[in-house]
Amino acid sequence: KAQTLTSKQQEARALYLELRTQSENGIVTRAAWYKGLEVAGITPHDKTKKQLKDKMVEAGVFLVREEGSRDEYFLRPDHISFEAT
């Protein structure tokens, strides 16, 4: 089902995509994205940042790894991972 994003959500998505292209491995840390949301004037509020993160996951923009940890990061849904099990 197609997701309709508000203008703020579209800005947050664009920021993620920009940060992803700047990353060597296509991975964006939560800290970098949250800081970018503040710097870009999208939102300074932690609650809104979390809501935007949840919307990005729901819309399929990115997946979250290490959720809830200090090292939480985001990657594209089709990102190939070679994690050891």
Side-chain angles (χ1 to χ4, degrees):
K1 183 176 178 181
Q3 294 283 324
T4 303
L5 300 177
T6 66
S7 61
K8 185 177 284 197
Q9 292 166 347
Q10 290 174 9
E11 290 177 60
R13 178 184 180 272
L15 174 64
Y16 164 73
L17 295 174
E18 179 182 334
L19 292 171
R20 190 182 81 195
T21 61
Q22 294 172 4
S23 169
E24 290 181 22
N25 57 8
I27 293 173
V28 177
T29 65
R30 178 185 63 191
W33 191 64
Y34 277 18
K35 181 69 174 174
L37 291 172
E38 290 180 27
V39 170
I42 298 169
T43 186
H45 306 291
D46 288 342
K47 183 177 179 182
T48 306
K49 292 173 190 172
K50 168 96 170 71
Q51 291 169 339
L52 287 168
K53 179 184 83 167
D54 292 345
K55 183 62 178 182
M56 296 302 103
V57 171
E58 178 186 328
V61 175
F62 57 67
L63 298 175
V64 178
R65 293 290 181 253
E66 304 295 327
E67 188 160 14
S69 78
R70 184 175 170 91
D71 299 322
E72 183 174 293
Y73 62 93
F74 313 138
L75 58 143
R76 349 180 272 279
D78 62 346
H79 190 97
I80 298 172
S81 177
F82 297 101
E83 296 177 36
T85 56

